[in-house]
Amino acid sequence: MGACYDLTDVMEENGSEWKNDFIQASLDLGTVNGRVLGVPFRSTCTVLVYNKTMMEENGWEEPKSQAELVELMDKAAQKGIIPLITPGNPEGFQLASVTKTVAEPAILNFPKFAP
């Protein structure tokens, strides 16, 4: 219909140099029938952290699927353990706020972005 510009050829120029800058899962969101019709402006990663000692003490195993995660959360709740928490407050702090201390040095040392 002409509503989107097909970016596939541009993304594959120079050995897919530009395309390779994207996380594949983010790029997949704009890919339709093998054609790249959109690229992410930004993407977000979700991280789940667990207490290995608590898992071992309760005989729990790392979940391998969403169904197993839900089952594990039910087991934790039955023991009176709050299974999941998320960072945040009314002022808008999110885990992403720690990126300056966690990720920025790695990004700045990446050859493409180094000063």
Side-chain angles (χ1 to χ4, degrees):
M1 292 178 18
C4 294
Y5 182 77
D6 188 338
L7 299 168
T8 307
D9 293 339
V10 177
M11 291 293 255
E12 294 176 357
E13 287 178 357
N14 301 316
S16 298
E17 181 180 23
W18 186 36
K19 185 178 182 180
N20 292 336
D21 281 343
F22 295 96
I23 298 169
Q24 188 61 47
S26 295
L27 193 58
D28 288 347
L29 294 173
T31 302
V32 178
N33 296 328
R35 306 302 294 175
V36 181
L37 302 179
V39 294
F41 176 70
R42 66 187 287 194
S43 63
T44 302
C45 297
T46 302
V47 177
L48 181 63
V49 180
Y50 65 91
N51 182 316
K52 187 174 180 179
T53 302
M54 182 185 291
M55 296 282 284
E56 290 171 356
E57 289 173 349
N58 288 285
W60 299 333
E61 293 184 17
E62 181 180 318
K64 303 291 187 232
S65 67
Q66 186 174 355
E68 289 181 10
L69 176 62
V70 171
E71 184 180 321
L72 177 60
M73 298 300 98
D74 288 342
K75 289 177 184 178
Q78 288 170 3
K79 287 193 162 218
I81 300 168
I82 298 172
L84 287 176
I85 60 170
T86 59
N89 66 34
E91 286 74 47
F93 172 83
Q94 295 296 321
L95 189 59
S97 298
V98 301
T99 55
K100 284 203 169 288
T101 58
V102 176
E104 191 172 54
I107 292 169
L108 292 177
N109 288 324
F110 190 72
K112 184 173 184 175
F113 300 111

